[in-house]
Amino acid sequence: MPDSQVLTSRQGAVLTLTLNRPTALNAFTTVMLVQLREALEAAAADKQVRCVVITGAGRGFCAGQDLSDPAIKPGFEPGDLPKDIGALLDSCYLPLALCLRAMPVPVIAAVNGVAAGAGANFALSCDLVLAGQSASFIQAFGKIGLIPDCGGSWLLPRLVGRARALQLTLLGDKLPAAEAQTMGLIYRCLPDAELAEAAQALAQRLSLLPVLALAQTRQAFDAAGLMDYETALKQESLLQSRLGFSADFQEGAAAFLQKRAAVFTDR
Ligand code: LHQ
């Protein structure tokens, strides 16, 4: 679709989704949020896709919610009533975030420029976050009178601890990608010119691994965060039991014993 706000391209088993509103730094419109979720759902249903990369067109990754979108735009005339932002979260952000966290394959964010507000938290919700040196992360919510959304309230303290999460969100300062790596917020900061190729190489590498187990690792981490130790151990037994019957485990163990490269096929 030429006027799509989310572009898709395939390289082998890797699907790349590009947020495509470069003149507005790829700020999320209602249309883009729906197209992004639909693209992720299509990837989840397509057994040929074994890894997804998400990036932005132009100089930004995503500037968060488009504040001029009719769904939330404030009225400028006396008597204009505010819109219900919670309704937009419920209808668009919540299903998108849940879809991302339930993806049956690894998802890489290739953050090519500024990631602000919900754009930052969407990127940080991906499994591995690569960022170009000129990229930055801004928890822009407080400056416009909101709290961190798109999973940020859950994710940020878990990623960097309460003190740093509060620093990032209360102050809302621009965090350069290199510092984001140092504080453990993201996986890796790279020279801008290397980002796209590095993201593809990482995605190709992941696509050759048993992606079923990789996706379930993310789900096990997420669920274990809410469990006591013994319950987490029992969850490990249950998930491991299921994976033990998978073709990928049979293949992985056999390939090791037969001293050959494994070929994984499960999804
Ligand atoms: C934008 C935006 C934008 C529209 C840049 N909207 N046009 C909130 C409400 C409802 C429901 C769900 O959840 C949320 C969560 C959120 O995401 S709240 C946070 C929303 N985002 C922001 O507050 C960030 C606003 N943007 C900025 O502070 C700056 O644009 C940053 C720091 C991201 C980049 O600054 P610059 O590099 O100096 O670029 P710029 O400001 O010149 O922006 C370029 C263009 O993009 C410009 O348009 P123009 O026509 O003047 O060239 C901006 O108006 C437009 N743009 N962000 N969120």
Side-chain angles (χ1 to χ4, degrees):
M1 229 189 294
D3 60 349
S4 177
Q5 296 187 14
V6 179
L7 304 177
T8 60
S9 68
R10 273 284 282 277
Q11 281 185 284
V14 174
L15 176 75
T16 300
L17 304 179
T18 303
L19 309 181
N20 186 37
R21 298 184 67 232
T23 53
L25 302 176
N26 306 312
F28 285 136
T29 60
T30 308
V31 170
M32 187 192 279
L33 290 163
V34 170
Q35 289 183 354
L36 185 53
R37 179 172 48 80
E38 287 175 350
L40 285 172
E41 285 171 350
D46 182 345
K47 301 278 184 202
Q48 304 305 311
V49 173
R50 296 178 62 80
C51 189
V52 175
V53 175
I54 303 176
T55 194
R59 73 178 176 91
F61 176 77
C62 175
Q65 170 64 37
D66 189 312
L67 298 173
S68 67
D69 190 83
I72 62 121
K73 187 180 174 184
F76 296 127
E77 301 302 324
D80 281 346
L81 294 175
K83 314 273 179 14
D84 182 359
I85 292 178
L88 178 62
L89 292 183
D90 283 344
S91 62
C92 289
Y93 282 91
L94 186 148
L96 173 65
L98 290 180
C99 175
L100 180 64
R101 293 300 269 203
M103 284 297 285
V105 297
V107 182
I108 297 170
V111 182
N112 53 301
V114 65
N121 291 340
F122 178 76
L124 298 173
S125 299
C126 295
D127 297 320
L128 293 174
V129 184
L130 299 180
Q133 212 150 21
S134 67
S136 56
F137 297 84
I138 310 176
Q139 294 295 323
F141 308 91
K143 285 187 180 160
I144 55 167
L146 297 176
I147 61 151
D149 62 18
C150 202
S153 63
W154 186 90
L155 191 64
L156 292 169
R158 282 173 167 80
L159 280 174
V160 292
R162 179 182 161 86
R164 280 189 169 134
L166 283 168
Q167 170 211 323
L168 294 174
T169 49
L170 299 196
L171 301 180
D173 289 333
K174 182 185 275 202
L175 181 73
E179 281 181 47
Q181 178 185 324
T182 304
M183 72 164 66
L185 190 69
I186 65 168
Y187 166 40
R188 210 171 149 206
C189 169
L190 301 149
D192 289 334
E194 293 172 21
L195 176 69
E197 205 173 311
Q200 285 300 320
L202 185 61
Q204 295 294 345
R205 177 179 156 192
L206 291 173
S207 76
L208 297 175
L209 294 172
V211 293
L212 180 66
L214 304 191
Q216 289 201 8
T217 302
R218 170 222 303 138
Q219 283 159 15
F221 282 174
D222 290 351
L226 307 170
M227 294 170 184
D228 62 34
Y229 184 60
E230 189 175 345
T231 312
L233 288 173
K234 287 179 181 156
Q235 175 188 241
E236 287 175 6
S237 301
L238 179 69
L239 293 174
Q240 215 67 306
S241 170
R242 286 193 203 137
L243 288 169
F245 289 108
S246 70
D248 278 356
F249 173 68
Q250 306 300 320
E251 166 65 4
F256 174 77
L257 295 171
Q258 294 164 356
K259 299 189 186 305
R260 62 173 174 81
V263 180
F264 296 110
T265 51
D266 275 333
R267 256 284 323 262

